Amino acid sequence: MAEIEETIVHTGQHYDRNMSQVFFAELDIPAPTYDLGIGSGRHGSQTGRMLEEIEKVLLKEKPDWVLVYGDTNSTLAGALAAAKLNIPLAHVEAGLRSFNQHMPEEINRVLTDHVSSLLFAPTSSAMANLAREGIDHSGVLLVGDVMYDAALYYGDRASRQSRVLEQLNIRRGEYVLATVHRAENTDSEDRLRTILTGLGRVSLDLPVVFPIHPRTQGAMLKAEDCTALAKGIQFTEPVSYLDMAMLEKNARVIVTDSGGIQKEAFFFSVPCITLRDETEWKELIDMGWNRLAPPTNPANLASALKLALGETPRSTHNPYGDGHSAERIVRHLLEWGSHRVDPSSCIVPEPAVS
């Protein structure tokens, strides 16, 4: 868009090729202007290095706005760098709460919301969360979910371009897709064993396809007997965005601990089981598209899978908008302009989200 000059900063938090460069290529995202190459590390050191390097970029570029997404360490580092330099900050996917302070993502999203000038909330429940925390000024805007925009656009492209089903020799609607990467599951040998045991039992009846995250692979190699427990599971390297979309939209059931995949399962009308004690996407639980199955014992997972395989949710209500969230975000940024003022002193009409 001619009115906006975008400078992309890639921190390098995700540095594996299948979790980074391939996304730029497949999604037609321009190459980042700055590739900081931060890499992995403990939360404090990683976030600190990002903060230092992002600050250098902001001092050089002097942007009118800093736009951050989601709840990663990159999100928090960008938010803090902008706030300390008094640069207006906009947060996409604002207002999500799991209410679990042990989740690093929960800390990141709460802190980011509280230093943001514009907060783009994906759902009405996210709006309510912000209001409960006293963030209810006119800079809080209900726009819908940009992930739904992406699912609509790239889901069709995946159907045309991806050949992952043929490559893995699996058929539509006849496999379980699994992903595990959260520290609460990979750093606990008991939880990891429980997940693998449960998925191993499922694989006796349905193929289980498991694109394995580097963290999960490392944890399996360290833990005793995990490799033996996973014998019936079909592991793959991390897959590209389009291949993942193809796997998601054609699965019988998805088993995951990812926040984003819970939503993508719903976008593609696939039941989901979430391997966590709570979720920030509570509306999916209420609608019956998602079930929580904390991996405390294999029977929990087996029971949840049996229910998911035997029932089809009836709710067709979509709380995530109409597929035009990104357009709303751009429009609001243009309406607010480059004025370095307190956004709460302005009035922006709240968009309607179907």
Side-chain angles (χ1 to χ4, degrees):
M1 185 172 269
E3 300 96 323
I4 295 179
E5 179 184 346
E6 184 178 24
T7 299
I8 299 176
V9 180
H10 179 31
T11 63
Q13 177 172 345
H14 290 131
Y15 51 89
D16 181 280
R17 185 188 179 280
N18 284 343
M19 301 178 69
S20 179
Q21 294 99 317
V22 69
F23 287 86
F24 284 92
E26 282 195 341
L27 306 187
D28 295 329
I29 301 172
T33 313
Y34 295 90
D35 192 340
L36 305 182
I38 299 299
S40 62
R42 297 184 66 84
H43 287 287
S45 62
Q46 185 187 61
T47 307
R49 285 183 287 136
M50 290 177 183
L51 176 58
E52 180 180 11
E53 295 304 315
I54 292 172
E55 183 181 62
K56 293 176 184 176
V57 172
L58 299 185
L59 287 170
K60 179 181 177 182
E61 294 288 339
K62 299 180 175 61
D64 296 307
W65 284 91
V66 171
L67 187 66
V68 296
Y69 301 78
D71 53 21
T72 65
N73 287 344
S74 299
T75 307
L76 178 60
L80 291 176
K84 288 179 177 293
L85 293 174
N86 295 312
I87 299 172
L89 176 71
H91 183 202
V92 176
E93 211 175 60
L96 301 184
R97 298 292 183 267
S98 68
F99 303 101
N100 179 358
Q101 292 291 319
H102 295 290
M103 284 178 62
E105 295 89 348
E106 182 78 350
I107 303 301
N108 292 346
R109 61 174 74 111
V110 170
L111 293 176
T112 298
D113 283 341
H114 280 265
V115 295
S116 292
S117 303
L118 275 178
L119 297 96
F120 296 122
T123 63
S124 57
S125 60
M127 295 283 287
N129 290 336
L130 294 169
R132 278 194 295 269
E133 294 175 17
I135 310 175
D136 58 358
H137 56 66
S138 59
V140 179
L141 302 163
L142 178 62
V143 295
D145 198 314
V146 293
M147 281 189 66
Y148 183 49
D149 298 17
L152 291 176
Y153 183 82
Y154 293 108
D156 288 341
R157 181 181 290 192
S159 295
R160 295 192 304 270
Q161 296 184 14
S162 174
R163 296 293 175 267
V164 68
L165 301 187
E166 293 85 350
Q167 292 164 3
L168 297 178
N169 194 29
I170 51 178
R171 292 187 290 188
R172 289 173 172 80
E174 297 185 12
Y175 62 91
V176 174
L177 175 65
T179 77
V180 177
H181 77 282
R182 288 191 180 274
E184 66 199 67
N185 288 330
T186 61
D187 294 355
S188 165
E189 290 191 12
D190 287 341
R191 288 174 77 100
L192 186 57
R193 285 195 188 94
T194 295
I195 292 167
L196 294 173
T197 300
L199 291 175
R201 291 178 183 175
V202 171
S203 70
L204 298 174
D205 300 311
L206 274 177
V208 175
V209 177
F210 193 143
I212 191 163
H213 190 284
R215 175 191 288 162
T216 311
Q217 187 173 32
M220 283 182 60
L221 292 174
K222 289 180 184 177
E224 283 187 35
D225 69 24
C226 272
T227 303
L229 292 173
K231 274 186 178 178
I233 301 170
Q234 185 174 353
F235 290 98
T236 76
E237 293 294 315
V239 296
S240 69
Y241 182 89
L242 294 182
D243 283 349
M244 192 63 180
M246 192 67 174
L247 288 170
E248 289 172 356
K249 71 186 298 185
N250 290 289
R252 178 82 178 274
V253 176
I254 293 174
V255 180
T256 187
D257 60 7
S258 163
I261 290 177
Q262 293 174 51
K263 285 190 299 177
E264 289 170 338
F266 169 70
F267 298 154
F268 296 131
S269 300
V270 176
C272 182
I273 295 167
T274 297
L275 302 169
R276 287 165 51 184
D277 300 294
E278 73 290 304
T279 177
E280 53 273 40
W281 304 107
K282 295 177 177 59
E283 56 273 5
L284 295 179
I285 302 291
D286 297 337
M287 294 165 63
W289 283 97
N290 193 3
R291 287 179 172 83
L292 291 176
T296 53
N297 64 72
N300 281 353
L301 178 53
S303 175
L305 267 165
K306 184 176 180 180
L307 288 171
L309 289 167
E311 297 178 5
T312 301
R314 296 180 180 177
S315 175
T316 57
H317 168 65
N318 184 354
Y320 300 108
D322 57 4
H324 297 282
S325 304
E327 297 165 33
R328 291 191 182 92
I329 289 169
V330 171
R331 186 175 72 244
H332 286 304
L333 285 170
L334 289 173
E335 287 174 355
W336 289 81
S338 60
H339 303 292
R340 296 173 183 273
V341 298
D342 179 6
S344 64
S345 65
C346 305
I347 298 176
V348 175
E350 181 180 301
V353 178
S354 60

